[in-house]
Amino acid sequence: MKKQRICIVGDGLSGLITTLALNKLDGLEVHLISKKNKLLKDKRTTAISASNFDFLNSVVDKLDKKLFWPSNKINLFYEAKDQNMNFLNFNEDKKNLMYIFENDKVKENLLKKIKKKKIKTLQKNINNLKDLKGYDMIILCLGRSSKIYQNIIDKRSLDKDYKEVAITGYIKHNLKNLNTAQYFLKDGPLAILPFSKNSFSYVWSLNKDFPKKNINAVVKSKICELLKTKNIKISNQQSYPLMLNLKRTYYKKDILILGEGLHTVHPVAGQGFNLVLRDINKLQEILKYYTGLGMSLKSCPALEDFTNNRKAENIITGLGIDLTHHFFKQNKLLDPFKESILKNVSKNNTLKKISKFISNQGLSI
Ligand SMILES: Cc1cc2nc3c(=O)[nH]c(=O)nc-3n(C[C@H](O)[C@H](O)[C@H](O)COP(=O)(O)OP(=O)(O)OC[C@H]3O[C@@H](n4cnc5c(N)ncnc54)[C@H](O)[C@@H]3O)c2cc1C
């Protein structure tokens, strides 16, 4: 029987993993289209949950585990009046809570796997959907904003400009047993994400008008103060404007948006790509079902099923993250009560269990 052809456009993390996930299905021929001449390297790290790591492991043959740094302790701090209050900590002895990887290294590795599997890859800039002919399904993984999406979505997506930027970078250190941490500071949330014995990355979300002069020195001094060390070295600093965008329309005919284009969320909870991985997992499951029945991708309700399965979780999580971010932002009325609210959070074991479960598995049970 002739294979049905799927084209994936965009070779970010979403496009690469979708390519490998769908290539596992019988009866499909997958093509990957990537942009020519990309200049900027993605010098960020990404934290994914243990269940998403398992999914990745199932999709990528012989996953190079050395690229994924496990973490079994996560501490959350709130910058109170005279000290940083550790209001929540997750601590596992026997299993890992998350894995942190360097985006550019994993992308390079996934591309090698794609080439090894002889999946057809093409280099061209797609400016118009008319450039993509002869496919049974098209999956657009073009990142957070692409003009091409306007041909698919209606205008009803949820949008918000946080008027913030995330400053990211890598740090070399010689601290012992550094754990993953999130500091809710007055200037904005700062995450510490260890990805090797002596390196971690940071993500510090700051107001757009935060003075950028000597930002390297400001970051260095803040991190030295938090970790009580003098000996760190910063590299690879980058910055990302922050916004919320939650699409309500996911597809048109046989063209689907996937990845950050479906949901761009604030990085404070490290959940953006975790949602993407759950989307890819569900898409793989749905396409396996319909192709297994011998149905044509053009006429089966796969993309409708995908939307019905994933939209609620994506929107609720995006709004939940927005609410969390809002709670920790400076607020004259709420600030006097935050310490006591957070003290109660730290005593509440049920809440702790629920948040651990949701960050690992998402909302779909
Ligand atoms: C500071 C920061 C930290 C984050 N940390 C975490 C975290 O710890 N955990 C987590 O779960 N999530 C995190 N996220 C979210 C995560 O980074 C994103 O979900 C993920 O990178 C999205 O990848 P993507 O492939 O969808 O998009 P992108 O990485 O933007 O990839 C889009 C691709 O499409 C290609 N492209 C674009 N236009 C065209 C075209 N016309 N033709 C052909 N190709 C095209 C581009 O070249 C690019 O390769 C973070 C986000 C930020 C901003």
Side-chain angles (χ1 to χ4, degrees), residues 10-14 38 44 46-47 126 141-143 260 270 272-274:
D11 62 348
L13 287 169
S14 309
K38 278 183 298 178
R44 278 178 296 175
T46 302
I126 300 298
C141 304
L142 303 171
E260 210 171 17
F273 193 60
N274 279 289

Side-chain angles (χ1 to χ4, degrees), residues 48-227:
I48 57 169
S49 69
S51 68
N52 275 329
F53 177 75
D54 291 343
F55 169 64
L56 209 54
N57 203 14
S58 73
V59 162
V60 183
D61 294 341
K62 298 193 188 118
L63 183 71
D64 189 349
K65 305 230 170 62
K66 285 200 294 294
L67 297 176
F68 297 81
W69 188 256
S71 168
N72 61 358
K73 289 189 182 69
I74 304 168
N75 290 311
L76 305 190
F77 297 92
Y78 172 65
E79 185 178 20
K81 255 194 200 130
D82 9 79
Q83 101 287 26
N84 286 313
M85 172 185 156
N86 183 194
F87 68 92
L88 208 56
N89 48 60
F90 300 101
N91 199 337
E92 290 285 338
D93 281 338
K94 295 202 177 100
K95 45 183 188 178
N96 291 315
L97 290 163
M98 58 159 76
Y99 294 80
I100 296 160
F101 63 84
E102 290 175 77
N103 290 12
D104 57 352
K105 285 200 180 153
V106 164
K107 280 186 203 171
E108 206 181 301
N109 187 268
L110 294 173
L111 203 54
K112 269 191 201 152
K113 303 266 177 198
I114 287 171
K115 296 223 163 110
K116 209 168 164 195
K117 293 214 162 279
K118 300 199 167 54
I119 296 171
K120 188 166 174 186
T121 54
L122 301 147
Q123 279 217 325
K124 63 181 182 187
N125 293 356
I126 300 298
N127 299 310
N128 199 307
L129 289 172
K130 287 186 193 128
D131 298 340
L132 302 164
K133 282 194 180 132
Y135 290 102
D136 297 285
M137 184 176 279
I138 293 166
I139 302 179
L140 301 174
C141 304
L142 303 171
R144 53 170 67 180
S145 50
S146 164
K147 283 196 182 133
I148 300 174
Y149 297 151
Q150 286 162 12
N151 299 309
I152 298 166
I153 49 165
D154 57 24
K155 293 208 167 64
R156 297 181 310 136
S157 59
L158 290 163
D159 279 304
K160 177 169 170 177
D161 182 351
Y162 284 112
K163 299 196 168 56
E164 290 177 21
V165 284
I167 312 281
T168 63
Y170 287 5
I171 290 197
K172 282 237 174 276
H173 67 92
N174 51 18
L175 295 156
K176 283 203 176 105
N177 305 324
L178 182 74
N179 292 319
T180 305
Q182 176 79 262
Y183 291 86
F184 292 95
L185 304 176
K186 299 240 170 346
D187 288 325
L190 189 156
I192 302 281
L193 302 160
F195 63 85
S196 75
K197 194 166 160 249
N198 294 110
S199 311
F200 66 86
S201 71
Y202 63 87
V203 181
W204 195 5
S205 307
L206 296 163
N207 270 339
K208 257 186 187 157
D209 48 17
F210 187 87
K212 301 291 172 320
K213 213 174 156 204
N214 297 330
I215 189 73
N216 244 336
V218 175
V219 170
K220 189 171 177 181
S221 126
K222 185 46 102 183
I223 290 177
C224 285
E225 178 197 321
L226 293 172
L227 303 182

